Amino acid sequence: MKCMNLVYKNADDLMKIRDDLKGYLPGNILIQVFCGISDMDTVNRLRSLLCTLFAGSAVVGASSAGEILNANVIEKSIVISFTAFEKTRVVSALVTQNDYLKAGGKDMGTALNDNKPKAVIVFGCGLKDGNYVNALPFLKALNGKLDDVVIAGGQAGGYHEHASQVFVFTEQDLTEHGFAAAALSGPNLCVNTAYNLSWMPIGKKMAITHVKGRRLYSIDHKSVKEIYLQYLGIEAQPSSLYLMNHFPLMIERRRMHVTNPVLSVNPDGSFNVLERFYAGEQVRFSYCDAGLQEEGAKRMGRKLAGYEPEAFFVYSCESRKTVFEDDIVVDMTAIENCPSSAGFFTFGEYYTDRNKVPRFLQQTMTVLALSESETCKIFDEEEDFTEKVELTETNLRRFRLLKAMSHLVSSTTRELELKNRQLEKLANKDGLTGLFNRRFFDDTLAHRMKEHSRSGAPLSLILIDVDFFKQFNDHYGHVAGDDCLRRISNLLQKQMNRSSDMAFRYGGEEFSCILPATAHPGALQKAETIRAGVEDLAIPHKTSQVAGFVTVSLGVITLTDNRDISLQEFADACDQLLYEAKHGGRNRLQGKNLSSHEA
């Protein structure tokens, strides 16, 4: 394998490269072009020249938001990378639309599948009518057409003054609304990928509570605008995007932490984000500085150097470059000792994890490493280098400070979350008996009734009243009365055999049990077990009019067949059954099965 990279100046540069590559088959040559120049006439002339000088070779190119050449970041130039393989065949393909992403991915896969590629480099037009395109459906469809393939590359980028003018091309044509790809197939080709995020999660975990597509409305039931103001002190507005994306929301998906930058702030306070969230997902804020960045670069460099690839292609994020500014050069230390490297800054990175699952990443530096050498090995994406990373003294101090601050924030957050869980638990419990309280009963019954309406599974409720408890208190005193209630509560708790079964102190000497997915015969059996169990406690009760020990009366009701009934009507119906049990002699139960067939 032979790799040659250059900043394009004129045709003489290309003719020298052509002479150096004469010994290689045209179909074994990959030409990547990273264009920091938006003049379309210049780009088309270059594309035509490449097709003439390197006829039969695969060309794949994209507009860029910054170019990378041999571990150096340069701007507003054209970097061309030539890779000549000994036994690897290279084929290009072009899809000229990004309206129907799944169809486009399938078409691309069909065009490239004949050669059974090991790797596919893809460049996509990441903008459509001023909006960012999430290419993940395209990547998944492409992956579905190709077996065991590594997909790498990214969205075509652009400088701020030309950010809306993005394009990709092959030797066949150029498009501002599609995807260009080069497939690599060879028996000796060794393909590796690596990525460097280096963002550190900070603060508490928060839940996505309202989202539509890629428009995020609320987190933890607060508007995202409120969340940024509350935790970061940032007034969310279009002019704040630069600062907001220093603290992107981070989420863990398929064992990878990824960030999701904010693209725009809407007048209603909602945010447009690059990749969609889903309701219920857990997110945290994240942050990175030069110390973390350097640690990540060093780890990536050690990982890459240990397997001796022959060529490195870097696809890094324009947002990462914007956030780090001049410190973006720190990222390049990961490849400074590599033999040959080229790449560009993208509007989103295409990456394949170790399970061969395609990912669409943001604010990440990704690397595709290639070799035809027999000594090259496939490395494990999750490999961890635990040795101490050598940081510069300045960045070491900054890193230690950030790590200490992050540890303080995380530790404090964990303590507060634990306290909140404890307080929430206490707020739902009755102080005397330890059972759940009446407020939590109302919430739980409402939730279970909604479940019943959806599933149609039976729902049973038991109300329990201690017989002649006022007389018990008057005779034995309130201390004995409290002890009596605690003993009955312990019995009830032991009878809740399933995690979904719950016992509550309903009020005073009244208790209740909610039994989801329990038919009426089962509820009656449970109620009888409770009644007999209270008898077996043999708590003396000389002033009872039904026995010489404490007894209980019970009302049992079951909802079946999706009967339309309100929570209050359901509870009142059970209370009526309890009333009938008490007036029917006490120390007994009265039950009823409600169904849609009843009037």
Side-chain angles (χ1 to χ4, degrees):
M1 181 189 295
K2 188 171 187 177
C3 303
M4 305 179 74
N5 307 315
L6 59 86
V7 176
Y8 173 69
K9 300 294 184 184
N10 52 53
D12 292 342
D13 297 332
L14 300 182
M15 295 179 72
K16 184 179 183 305
I17 295 287
R18 182 188 62 177
D19 293 340
D20 289 339
L21 299 181
K22 277 185 177 178
Y24 291 89
L25 294 173
N28 288 12
I29 296 175
L30 166 67
I31 303 173
Q32 294 184 77
V33 185
F34 311 113
C35 294
I37 294 174
S38 60
D39 180 68
M40 301 302 287
D41 289 338
T42 300
V43 174
N44 278 315
R45 282 197 301 269
L46 172 59
R47 190 177 64 81
S48 178
L49 185 58
L50 288 170
C51 291
T52 300
L53 295 178
F54 300 91
S57 297
V59 178
V60 60
S63 57
S64 71
E67 299 76 59
I68 299 166
L69 177 65
N70 297 328
N72 294 306
V73 177
I74 53 181
E75 302 224 335
K76 298 185 178 179
S77 63
I78 298 178
V79 169
I80 306 179
S81 172
F82 295 86
T83 309
F85 298 94
E86 298 287 346
K87 297 182 179 179
T88 297
R89 178 156 177 76
V90 187
V91 177
S92 68
L94 185 70
V95 170
T96 58
Q97 60 86 16
N98 57 4
D99 292 308
Y100 307 100
L101 296 173
K102 289 183 180 179
K106 290 179 180 179
D107 290 343
M108 181 76 79
T110 300
L112 298 175
N113 196 33
D114 288 346
N115 296 291
K116 304 299 179 185
K118 289 186 177 180
V120 178
I121 297 172
V122 182
F123 301 149
C125 292
L127 291 174
K128 181 74 174 179
D129 300 326
N131 297 313
Y132 280 86
V133 174
N134 185 335
L136 191 58
F138 177 92
L139 300 177
K140 287 183 175 179
L142 174 61
N143 179 262
K145 281 288 185 178
L146 305 174
D147 294 327
D148 200 33
V149 70
V150 171
I151 298 173
Q155 308 264 62
Y159 290 93
H160 294 299
E161 63 270 30
H162 301 293
S164 61
Q165 186 178 3
V166 298
F167 55 86
V168 299
F169 59 88
T170 66
E171 71 276 14
Q172 305 156 24
D173 203 351
L174 180 149
T175 179
E176 297 180 57
H177 306 288
F179 296 85
L184 284 61
S185 310
N188 300 326
L189 183 65
C190 182
V191 181
N192 283 309
T193 58
Y195 75 100
N196 178 20
L197 179 60
S198 301
W199 254 258
M200 176 184 288
I202 56 175
K204 72 167 190 173
K205 289 183 178 180
M206 303 174 289
I208 300 295
T209 47
H210 184 199
V211 63
K212 288 184 178 179
R214 287 186 286 161
R215 191 162 180 169
L216 178 60
Y217 290 89
S218 71
I219 300 174
D220 280 351
H221 300 287
K222 295 181 180 179
S223 73
V224 283
K225 202 169 182 178
E226 288 180 77
I227 291 291
Y228 270 80
L229 185 61
Q230 177 181 344
Y231 291 108
L232 299 176
I234 297 175
E235 185 71 44
Q237 50 192 357
S239 61
S240 304
L241 285 178
Y242 172 76
L243 182 57
M244 292 164 63
N245 284 330
H246 276 72
F247 303 91
L249 291 171
M250 176 179 280
I251 189 167
E252 183 176 357
R253 285 177 173 163
R254 291 180 176 267
R255 298 176 63 188
M256 275 181 69
H257 285 94
V258 295
T259 58
N260 198 357
V262 177
L263 301 178
S264 58
V265 179
N266 300 306
D268 62 359
S270 62
F271 292 178
N272 295 320
V273 292
L274 190 55
E275 187 171 357
R276 72 172 298 172
F277 287 117
Y278 297 90
E281 285 189 308
Q282 299 285 310
V283 297
R284 297 172 72 181
F285 285 114
S286 61
Y287 178 72
C288 184
D289 81 342
L292 288 168
Q293 181 193 11
E294 185 172 5
E295 182 189 34
K298 293 291 186 182
R299 286 176 179 267
M300 176 184 269
R302 292 168 67 89
K303 185 175 186 178
L304 294 172
Y307 297 91
E308 302 179 354
E310 298 174 89
F312 293 86
F313 303 118
V314 182
Y315 312 111
S316 191
C317 191
E318 181 273 339
S319 177
R320 186 179 183 89
K321 176 168 167 273
T322 300
V323 168
F324 289 148
E325 297 180 327
D326 291 342
D327 285 338
I328 193 64
V329 297
V330 175
D331 273 357
M332 299 301 113
T333 60
I335 54 173
E336 62 184 359
N337 296 319
C338 298
S340 175
S341 61
F344 75 115
F345 288 93
T346 77
F347 281 171
E349 301 75 64
Y350 305 158
Y351 183 77
T352 302
D353 64 25
R354 64 176 180 177
N355 296 316
K356 298 296 174 68
V357 175
R359 302 295 193 99
F360 180 50
L361 305 179
Q362 300 84 39
Q363 297 184 311
T364 305
M365 173 183 173
T366 66
V367 172
L368 174 67
L370 301 176
S371 177
E372 288 184 307
S373 169
E374 294 181 359
T375 62
C376 185
K377 304 174 184 177
I378 299 293
F379 55 67
D380 184 351
E381 177 195 357
E382 301 299 329
E383 184 170 355
D384 183 23
F385 293 94
T386 56
E387 295 95 337
K388 181 181 176 182
V389 177
E390 299 273 342
L391 299 177
T392 64
E393 188 60 33
T394 300
N395 281 337
L396 182 60
R397 288 195 298 269
R398 292 172 63 186
F399 173 62
R400 285 174 174 167
L401 178 61
L402 175 65
K403 199 167 185 179
M405 292 175 64
S406 178
H407 182 75
L408 174 63
V409 171
S410 297
S411 298
T412 304
T413 299
R414 283 195 298 271
E415 290 177 2
L416 289 173
E417 288 176 342
L418 177 61
K419 292 291 184 184
N420 285 336
R421 285 195 296 270
Q422 291 172 341
L423 287 172
E424 185 178 355
K425 192 174 181 180
L426 288 173
N428 292 333
K429 290 293 184 73
D430 173 62
L432 174 66
T433 64
L435 296 179
F436 292 112
N437 58 26
R438 174 61 183 270
R439 182 182 67 84
F440 195 58
F441 167 84
D442 292 338
D443 292 343
T444 303
L445 186 58
H447 172 69
R448 293 303 185 187
M449 289 186 71
K450 287 180 181 177
E451 280 188 345
H452 165 77
S453 296
R454 289 193 300 269
S455 68
L459 173 65
S460 293
L461 172 65
I462 302 174
L463 288 184
I464 306 160
D465 185 79
V466 181
D467 296 327
F468 301 109
F469 187 71
K470 181 180 183 303
Q471 290 84 341
F472 183 95
N473 262 342
D474 291 343
H475 183 78
Y476 294 99
H478 289 285
V479 173
D482 289 349
D483 182 64
C484 172
L485 294 177
R486 278 192 288 265
R487 292 181 66 183
I488 294 174
S489 298
N490 290 337
L491 169 70
L492 291 177
Q493 194 61 61
K494 290 176 182 178
Q495 287 298 320
M496 300 298 103
N497 305 121
R498 303 175 303 174
S499 60
S500 58
D501 297 340
M502 300 177 74
F504 306 81
R505 187 180 182 190
Y506 195 67
E509 69 273 21
E510 288 188 315
F511 300 90
S512 62
C513 300
I514 297 176
L515 309 175
T518 302
H520 196 56
L524 291 174
Q525 184 178 357
K526 179 65 68 177
E528 175 56 25
T529 301
I530 291 170
R531 188 203 64 77
V534 172
E535 276 191 345
D536 292 341
L537 291 176
I539 303 171
H541 190 350
K542 292 182 178 179
T543 55
S544 172
Q545 298 177 24
V546 293
F549 43 82
V550 171
T551 58
V552 292
S553 301
L554 305 93
V556 185
I557 195 165
T558 302
L559 267 181
T560 57
D561 300 333
N562 291 309
R563 171 151 180 176
D564 186 17
I565 187 173
S566 70
L567 184 152
Q568 192 59 53
E569 289 172 333
F570 187 45
D572 286 347
C574 193
D575 192 57
Q576 177 61 34
L577 293 169
L578 173 60
Y579 176 84
E580 293 174 10
K582 290 165 67 175
H583 285 264
R586 301 183 190 260
N587 192 22
R588 61 190 300 273
L589 59 93
Q590 186 70 34
K592 186 175 184 180
N593 186 26
L594 290 178
S595 73
S596 58
H597 303 296
E598 297 184 37

